[in-house]
């Protein structure tokens, strides 16, 4: 079964010192998320992506702003 994740532009991840699999804590519309990072060369810088409709991932009305909280390097 596919796992939940947050997709991050690879250059943004380098700028934030995030490695693949690191946990990124953020909020969207006051809903907290705690997801592993997957790197992408195709998602635009400054944007993030999440899978849609996977079990355990709350609904997000997109597009929406996210507030980055912390990161755990992995």
């Amino acid at each position: 079964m596919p796992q939940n994740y947050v997709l991050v532009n690879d250059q943004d991840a380098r700028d934030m010192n995030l490695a693949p699999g690191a946990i990124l804590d953020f909020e969207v519309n006051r809903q907290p998320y705690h997801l592993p990072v997957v790197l992408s060369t195709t998602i635009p810088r400054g944007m993030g992506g999440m899978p849609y409709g996977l079990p355990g991932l709350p609904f997000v009305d997109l597009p929406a702003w996210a507030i980055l909280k912390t990161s755990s390097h992995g």
Side-chain angles (χ1 to χ4, degrees):
M1 173 180 289
Q3 299 295 311
N4 293 320
Y5 59 88
V6 59
L7 194 64
V8 176
N9 174 279
D10 63 337
Q11 184 60 52
D12 286 341
R14 277 193 293 274
D15 292 348
M16 293 185 289
N17 201 28
L18 291 173
I23 301 301
L24 186 62
D25 293 320
F26 59 100
E27 286 184 11
V28 178
N29 297 330
R30 293 188 215 149
Q31 172 66 50
Y33 293 87
H34 182 78
L35 297 173
V37 170
V38 172
L39 302 183
S40 169
T41 59
T42 58
I43 195 167
R45 291 200 67 187
M47 299 184 81
M50 296 186 299
Y52 179 76
L54 290 181
L57 193 62
F59 172 78
V60 179
D61 190 18
L62 299 175
W65 288 99
I67 300 170
L68 299 179
K69 296 294 185 178
T70 62
S71 63
S72 303
H73 303 287

